[in-house]
PDB file of all heavy atoms in Angstrom:
ATOM      1  N   SER A 941     187.787 -82.758  87.888  1.00  0.00           N
ATOM      2  CA  SER A 941     189.185 -83.174  87.753  1.00  0.00           C
ATOM      3  C   SER A 941     189.677 -82.962  86.326  1.00  0.00           C
ATOM      4  O   SER A 941     190.786 -82.469  86.100  1.00  0.00           O
ATOM      5  CB  SER A 941     189.326 -84.648  88.151  1.00  0.00           C
ATOM      6  OG  SER A 941     190.639 -85.113  87.915  1.00  0.00           O
ATOM      7  N   ALA A 942     188.845 -83.320  85.355  1.00  0.00           N
ATOM      8  CA  ALA A 942     189.228 -83.115  83.955  1.00  0.00           C
ATOM      9  C   ALA A 942     189.312 -81.635  83.621  1.00  0.00           C
ATOM     10  O   ALA A 942     190.120 -81.222  82.773  1.00  0.00           O
ATOM     11  CB  ALA A 942     188.232 -83.813  83.034  1.00  0.00           C
ATOM     12  N   ALA A 943     188.493 -80.804  84.288  1.00  0.00           N
ATOM     13  CA  ALA A 943     188.530 -79.364  84.031  1.00  0.00           C
ATOM     14  C   ALA A 943     189.883 -78.762  84.418  1.00  0.00           C
ATOM     15  O   ALA A 943     190.301 -77.747  83.843  1.00  0.00           O
ATOM     16  CB  ALA A 943     187.399 -78.666  84.790  1.00  0.00           C
ATOM     17  N   ILE A 944     190.579 -79.368  85.377  1.00  0.00           N
ATOM     18  CA  ILE A 944     191.924 -78.893  85.740  1.00  0.00           C
ATOM     19  C   ILE A 944     192.864 -79.056  84.551  1.00  0.00           C
ATOM     20  O   ILE A 944     193.664 -78.164  84.236  1.00  0.00           O
ATOM     21  CB  ILE A 944     192.453 -79.662  86.966  1.00  0.00           C
ATOM     22  CG1 ILE A 944     191.547 -79.440  88.170  1.00  0.00           C
ATOM     23  CG2 ILE A 944     193.878 -79.230  87.296  1.00  0.00           C
ATOM     24  CD1 ILE A 944     191.925 -80.275  89.381  1.00  0.00           C
ATOM     25  N   GLY A 945     192.789 -80.196  83.872  1.00  0.00           N
ATOM     26  CA  GLY A 945     193.627 -80.418  82.700  1.00  0.00           C
ATOM     27  C   GLY A 945     193.327 -79.454  81.577  1.00  0.00           C
ATOM     28  O   GLY A 945     194.233 -79.001  80.868  1.00  0.00           O
ATOM     29  N   VAL A 946     192.037 -79.109  81.403  1.00  0.00           N
ATOM     30  CA  VAL A 946     191.669 -78.132  80.370  1.00  0.00           C
ATOM     31  C   VAL A 946     192.318 -76.790  80.661  1.00  0.00           C
ATOM     32  O   VAL A 946     192.878 -76.132  79.772  1.00  0.00           O
ATOM     33  CB  VAL A 946     190.136 -77.993  80.296  1.00  0.00           C
ATOM     34  CG1 VAL A 946     189.749 -76.886  79.307  1.00  0.00           C
ATOM     35  CG2 VAL A 946     189.499 -79.317  79.869  1.00  0.00           C
ATOM     36  N   ALA A 947     192.263 -76.367  81.930  1.00  0.00           N
ATOM     37  CA  ALA A 947     192.860 -75.088  82.308  1.00  0.00           C
ATOM     38  C   ALA A 947     194.381 -75.133  82.231  1.00  0.00           C
ATOM     39  O   ALA A 947     195.026 -74.159  81.824  1.00  0.00           O
ATOM     40  CB  ALA A 947     192.410 -74.700  83.715  1.00  0.00           C
ATOM     41  N   ALA A 948     194.982 -76.260  82.609  1.00  0.00           N
ATOM     42  CA  ALA A 948     196.445 -76.379  82.582  1.00  0.00           C
ATOM     43  C   ALA A 948     196.988 -76.298  81.165  1.00  0.00           C
ATOM     44  O   ALA A 948     198.094 -75.790  80.936  1.00  0.00           O
ATOM     45  CB  ALA A 948     196.881 -77.683  83.248  1.00  0.00           C
ATOM     46  N   ALA A 949     196.230 -76.790  80.194  1.00  0.00           N
ATOM     47  CA  ALA A 949     196.682 -76.747  78.802  1.00  0.00           C
ATOM     48  C   ALA A 949     196.839 -75.322  78.296  1.00  0.00           C
ATOM     49  O   ALA A 949     197.629 -75.065  77.377  1.00  0.00           O
ATOM     50  CB  ALA A 949     195.709 -77.523  77.919  1.00  0.00           C
ATOM     51  N   ASP A 950     196.125 -74.389  78.892  1.00  0.00           N
ATOM     52  CA  ASP A 950     196.237 -72.991  78.462  1.00  0.00           C
ATOM     53  C   ASP A 950     197.578 -72.370  78.852  1.00  0.00           C
ATOM     54  O   ASP A 950     197.920 -71.290  78.360  1.00  0.00           O
ATOM     55  CB  ASP A 950     195.100 -72.166  79.055  1.00  0.00           C
ATOM     56  CG  ASP A 950     193.760 -72.486  78.409  1.00  0.00           C
ATOM     57  OD1 ASP A 950     193.764 -72.947  77.248  1.00  0.00           O
ATOM     58  OD2 ASP A 950     192.717 -72.290  79.056  1.00  0.00           O
ATOM     59  N   LEU A 951     198.337 -73.023  79.736  1.00  0.00           N
ATOM     60  CA  LEU A 951     199.658 -72.522  80.112  1.00  0.00           C
ATOM     61  C   LEU A 951     200.693 -72.758  79.015  1.00  0.00           C
ATOM     62  O   LEU A 951     201.767 -72.156  79.035  1.00  0.00           O
ATOM     63  CB  LEU A 951     200.142 -73.205  81.397  1.00  0.00           C
ATOM     64  CG  LEU A 951     199.325 -72.934  82.674  1.00  0.00           C
ATOM     65  CD1 LEU A 951     199.779 -73.869  83.786  1.00  0.00           C
ATOM     66  CD2 LEU A 951     199.489 -71.478  83.102  1.00  0.00           C
ATOM     67  N   LEU A 952     200.355 -73.615  78.075  1.00  0.00           N
ATOM     68  CA  LEU A 952     201.311 -74.066  77.065  1.00  0.00           C
ATOM     69  C   LEU A 952     200.963 -73.488  75.698  1.00  0.00           C
ATOM     70  O   LEU A 952     199.866 -72.969  75.484  1.00  0.00           O
ATOM     71  CB  LEU A 952     201.300 -75.596  77.018  1.00  0.00           C
ATOM     72  CG  LEU A 952     201.690 -76.270  78.338  1.00  0.00           C
ATOM     73  CD1 LEU A 952     201.295 -77.730  78.323  1.00  0.00           C
ATOM     74  CD2 LEU A 952     203.185 -76.121  78.595  1.00  0.00           C
ATOM     75  N   PRO A 953     201.886 -73.580  74.741  1.00  0.00           N
ATOM     76  CA  PRO A 953     201.604 -73.068  73.393  1.00  0.00           C
ATOM     77  C   PRO A 953     200.444 -73.811  72.729  1.00  0.00           C
ATOM     78  O   PRO A 953     200.256 -75.005  72.950  1.00  0.00           O
ATOM     79  CB  PRO A 953     202.919 -73.302  72.642  1.00  0.00           C
ATOM     80  CG  PRO A 953     203.952 -73.473  73.696  1.00  0.00           C
ATOM     81  CD  PRO A 953     203.267 -74.092  74.861  1.00  0.00           C
ATOM     82  N   HIS A 954     199.706 -73.091  71.925  1.00  0.00           N
ATOM     83  CA  HIS A 954     198.608 -73.683  71.166  1.00  0.00           C
ATOM     84  C   HIS A 954     199.052 -73.827  69.712  1.00  0.00           C
ATOM     85  O   HIS A 954     199.358 -72.837  69.045  1.00  0.00           O
ATOM     86  CB  HIS A 954     197.371 -72.787  71.237  1.00  0.00           C
ATOM     87  CG  HIS A 954     196.871 -72.559  72.629  1.00  0.00           C
ATOM     88  ND1 HIS A 954     196.066 -73.450  73.293  1.00  0.00           N
ATOM     89  CD2 HIS A 954     197.080 -71.533  73.494  1.00  0.00           C
ATOM     90  CE1 HIS A 954     195.789 -72.982  74.499  1.00  0.00           C
ATOM     91  NE2 HIS A 954     196.406 -71.818  74.641  1.00  0.00           N
ATOM     92  N   PHE A 955     199.106 -75.046  69.238  1.00  0.00           N
ATOM     93  CA  PHE A 955     199.555 -75.334  67.873  1.00  0.00           C
ATOM     94  C   PHE A 955     198.346 -75.511  66.970  1.00  0.00           C
ATOM     95  O   PHE A 955     197.367 -76.167  67.331  1.00  0.00           O
ATOM     96  CB  PHE A 955     200.427 -76.584  67.846  1.00  0.00           C
ATOM     97  CG  PHE A 955     201.682 -76.436  68.642  1.00  0.00           C
ATOM     98  CD1 PHE A 955     201.744 -76.885  69.944  1.00  0.00           C
ATOM     99  CD2 PHE A 955     202.797 -75.823  68.090  1.00  0.00           C
ATOM    100  CE1 PHE A 955     202.895 -76.738  70.692  1.00  0.00           C
ATOM    101  CE2 PHE A 955     203.955 -75.673  68.830  1.00  0.00           C
ATOM    102  CZ  PHE A 955     204.004 -76.127  70.135  1.00  0.00           C
ATOM    103  N   SER A 956     198.431 -74.922  65.798  1.00  0.00           N
ATOM    104  CA  SER A 956     197.290 -74.953  64.900  1.00  0.00           C
ATOM    105  C   SER A 956     197.756 -75.024  63.454  1.00  0.00           C
ATOM    106  O   SER A 956     198.919 -74.735  63.130  1.00  0.00           O
ATOM    107  CB  SER A 956     196.412 -73.710  65.093  1.00  0.00           C
ATOM    108  OG  SER A 956     197.149 -72.536  64.803  1.00  0.00           O
ATOM    109  N   ILE A 957     196.843 -75.411  62.614  1.00  0.00           N
ATOM    110  CA  ILE A 957     197.048 -75.434  61.164  1.00  0.00           C
ATOM    111  C   ILE A 957     195.866 -74.717  60.524  1.00  0.00           C
ATOM    112  O   ILE A 957     194.710 -75.054  60.786  1.00  0.00           O
ATOM    113  CB  ILE A 957     197.147 -76.873  60.629  1.00  0.00           C
ATOM    114  CG1 ILE A 957     198.318 -77.622  61.264  1.00  0.00           C
ATOM    115  CG2 ILE A 957     197.277 -76.872  59.116  1.00  0.00           C
ATOM    116  CD1 ILE A 957     198.396 -79.076  60.849  1.00  0.00           C
ATOM    117  N   ALA A 958     196.168 -73.738  59.708  1.00  0.00           N
ATOM    118  CA  ALA A 958     195.141 -73.023  58.959  1.00  0.00           C
ATOM    119  C   ALA A 958     195.479 -73.122  57.477  1.00  0.00           C
ATOM    120  O   ALA A 958     196.655 -73.147  57.090  1.00  0.00           O
ATOM    121  CB  ALA A 958     195.065 -71.561  59.393  1.00  0.00           C
ATOM    122  N   GLY A 959     194.485 -73.174  56.678  1.00  0.00           N
ATOM    123  CA  GLY A 959     194.738 -73.260  55.240  1.00  0.00           C
ATOM    124  C   GLY A 959     193.455 -73.206  54.451  1.00  0.00           C
ATOM    125  O   GLY A 959     192.356 -73.222  55.002  1.00  0.00           O
ATOM    126  N   ASN A 960     193.629 -73.097  53.160  1.00  0.00           N
ATOM    127  CA  ASN A 960     192.475 -73.135  52.287  1.00  0.00           C
ATOM    128  C   ASN A 960     192.903 -73.699  50.946  1.00  0.00           C
ATOM    129  O   ASN A 960     194.079 -73.684  50.568  1.00  0.00           O
ATOM    130  CB  ASN A 960     191.849 -71.750  52.126  1.00  0.00           C
ATOM    131  CG  ASN A 960     192.755 -70.778  51.394  1.00  0.00           C
ATOM    132  OD1 ASN A 960     192.938 -70.889  50.180  1.00  0.00           O
ATOM    133  ND2 ASN A 960     193.336 -69.818  52.124  1.00  0.00           N
ATOM    134  N   ILE A 961     191.955 -74.191  50.231  1.00  0.00           N
ATOM    135  CA  ILE A 961     192.156 -74.695  48.880  1.00  0.00           C
ATOM    136  C   ILE A 961     191.017 -74.155  48.029  1.00  0.00           C
ATOM    137  O   ILE A 961     189.874 -74.108  48.485  1.00  0.00           O
ATOM    138  CB  ILE A 961     192.210 -76.240  48.854  1.00  0.00           C
ATOM    139  CG1 ILE A 961     192.548 -76.731  47.445  1.00  0.00           C
ATOM    140  CG2 ILE A 961     190.918 -76.856  49.361  1.00  0.00           C
ATOM    141  CD1 ILE A 961     192.836 -78.228  47.389  1.00  0.00           C
ATOM    142  N   SER A 962     191.356 -73.701  46.832  1.00  0.00           N
ATOM    143  CA  SER A 962     190.330 -73.044  46.025  1.00  0.00           C
ATOM    144  C   SER A 962     190.601 -73.248  44.550  1.00  0.00           C
ATOM    145  O   SER A 962     191.699 -73.677  44.136  1.00  0.00           O
ATOM    146  CB  SER A 962     190.286 -71.541  46.343  1.00  0.00           C
ATOM    147  OG  SER A 962     191.518 -70.921  46.010  1.00  0.00           O
ATOM    148  N   LEU A 963     189.609 -72.915  43.762  1.00  0.00           N
ATOM    149  CA  LEU A 963     189.700 -72.884  42.307  1.00  0.00           C
ATOM    150  C   LEU A 963     189.467 -71.441  41.879  1.00  0.00           C
ATOM    151  O   LEU A 963     188.480 -70.817  42.265  1.00  0.00           O
ATOM    152  CB  LEU A 963     188.659 -73.810  41.679  1.00  0.00           C
ATOM    153  CG  LEU A 963     188.783 -75.305  42.007  1.00  0.00           C
ATOM    154  CD1 LEU A 963     187.586 -76.067  41.479  1.00  0.00           C
ATOM    155  CD2 LEU A 963     190.084 -75.878  41.419  1.00  0.00           C
ATOM    156  N   GLN A 964     190.411 -70.902  41.065  1.00  0.00           N
ATOM    157  CA  GLN A 964     190.325 -69.512  40.647  1.00  0.00           C
ATOM    158  C   GLN A 964     190.532 -69.429  39.137  1.00  0.00           C
ATOM    159  O   GLN A 964     191.436 -70.065  38.584  1.00  0.00           O
ATOM    160  CB  GLN A 964     191.391 -68.672  41.357  1.00  0.00           C
ATOM    161  CG  GLN A 964     191.306 -68.709  42.873  1.00  0.00           C
ATOM    162  CD  GLN A 964     192.398 -67.917  43.545  1.00  0.00           C
ATOM    163  OE1 GLN A 964     193.115 -67.154  42.877  1.00  0.00           O
ATOM    164  NE2 GLN A 964     192.531 -68.085  44.860  1.00  0.00           N
ATOM    165  N   ALA A 965     189.700 -68.634  38.483  1.00  0.00           N
ATOM    166  CA  ALA A 965     189.817 -68.470  37.023  1.00  0.00           C
ATOM    167  C   ALA A 965     189.166 -67.157  36.625  1.00  0.00           C
ATOM    168  O   ALA A 965     188.283 -66.638  37.326  1.00  0.00           O
ATOM    169  CB  ALA A 965     189.156 -69.637  36.298  1.00  0.00           C
TER     170      ALA A 965
END
């Protein structure tokens, strides 16, 4: 039953955040 919800979520947009933080010199 829960696997149905996992598959249904793929019908919708996937929101994500990507980023990095670094020290450069």
